[in-house]
Amino acid sequence: LIYTNLHDTIGFVNPHDVHHYLIALDRMIFGVVPCVWAERFITSGRTEAMQFLYLNFFWIAPSTALLLLLRRRWTEFRAVTMGVLVCFFLGYALYVIFPAAPPRFVLAREFTKNLSGYPLFFSTLSAQALSLLPVDSRAAFPSLHAAVSLVSLAYAWRYLRWWFWTLLPFAVGLWVSTIYLRHHYAVDLFAGWLLAPFAIWVAPRLDAWWSGRQRDLGYATARGAP
């Protein structure tokens, strides 16, 4: 039924163009495509702030693990590192299975405002980073920005409660920025939030299996291994 509704919404499209189904899902859920609807809030100042929040992903992803490493909490450090890595690689696999281009490419004709921030600040840094990606990038679904940041938050709640509260506003800002900056459809975020707990569930089981194999073969396990 869902497939039929989506097909009726978007009409005939290339079945490999997953992003058209994501756009249709956004419209079914919200009545609009959130990244297009968000245009009404665009200003140079907000764009600069959103670029700053988006770039924070580079430290949000490893932050919980690094704090545990500095405290020499080896078991927890390994658990968090495994969770983050498993989440990344599961996401990469899903990029191959569901090759969806981001809205900044697919919906370019629907956008009426430019995302221009202030020269020489975060907008410039973000543009330089995005220029390294292929023009036809298919890495929208799921949102690893949503997934990995949620993994870091979940482990922070488990092991470093004070860091969870510090990290939370930056993570929420990151999620909002992915819509404002047209990097993701809303359903990409939902998929990322579902991927995160699955990665957290898989990671310790995978690590325990690997450590068991090492022991069976007579190799010493790494510090912090189960």
Side-chain angles (χ1 to χ4, degrees):
L1 178 60
I2 292 175
Y3 178 85
T4 302
N5 289 340
L6 289 175
H7 190 275
D8 291 343
T9 301
I10 63 179
F12 177 77
V13 297
N14 187 329
H16 297 294
D17 290 339
V18 178
H19 36 260
H20 293 296
Y21 293 95
L22 302 179
I23 295 166
L25 273 172
D26 266 9
R27 288 198 173 109
M28 282 178 58
I29 296 169
F30 300 102
V32 294
V33 181
C35 59
V36 177
W37 173 82
E39 274 200 319
R40 66 193 64 195
F41 302 108
I42 289 177
T43 65
S44 294
R46 290 194 187 108
T47 299
E48 200 64 33
M50 290 296 168
Q51 296 286 12
F52 166 74
L53 291 167
Y54 186 76
L55 290 170
N56 282 333
F57 179 68
F58 294 104
W59 64 263
I60 289 174
S63 63
T64 303
L66 288 176
L67 286 172
L68 291 166
L69 176 63
L70 291 173
R71 295 181 171 212
R72 298 177 177 270
R73 294 171 60 177
W74 308 115
T75 302
E76 293 92 340
F77 163 72
R78 183 178 176 89
V80 176
T81 302
M82 282 292 296
V84 169
L85 290 176
V86 167
C87 189
F88 267 119
F89 281 101
L90 286 174
Y92 296 151
L94 289 170
Y95 286 165
V96 176
I97 297 170
F98 302 105
R104 66 180 184 275
F105 295 147
V106 181
L107 298 174
R109 294 182 179 179
E110 295 193 31
F111 296 123
T112 60
K113 295 182 180 180
N114 291 325
L115 288 170
S116 56
Y118 302 125
L120 305 179
F121 283 93
F122 298 110
S123 293
T124 302
L125 290 174
S126 182
Q128 291 172 346
L130 289 174
S131 69
L132 300 176
L133 298 175
V135 174
D136 59 349
S137 174
R138 298 295 180 102
F141 184 88
S143 168
L144 280 177
H145 289 81
V148 176
S149 59
L150 184 55
V151 168
S152 291
L153 274 173
Y155 281 118
W157 178 265
R158 184 181 297 179
Y159 299 129
L160 296 166
R161 192 66 56 88
W162 65 272
W163 182 242
F164 170 86
W165 295 113
T166 303
L167 196 59
L168 182 60
F170 292 100
V172 173
L174 170 65
W175 301 338
V176 173
S177 75
T178 64
I179 299 297
Y180 180 98
L181 297 173
R182 306 163 180 171
H183 295 312
H184 284 294
Y185 312 96
V187 290
D188 298 341
L189 299 183
F190 297 155
W193 292 328
L194 289 174
L195 176 61
F198 181 69
I200 292 171
W201 181 84
V202 168
R205 289 160 176 79
L206 179 62
D207 199 18
W209 172 82
W210 181 254
S211 298
R213 289 290 297 154
Q214 287 181 304
R215 284 190 292 269
D216 291 343
L217 295 172
Y219 295 108
T221 57
R223 178 179 290 180

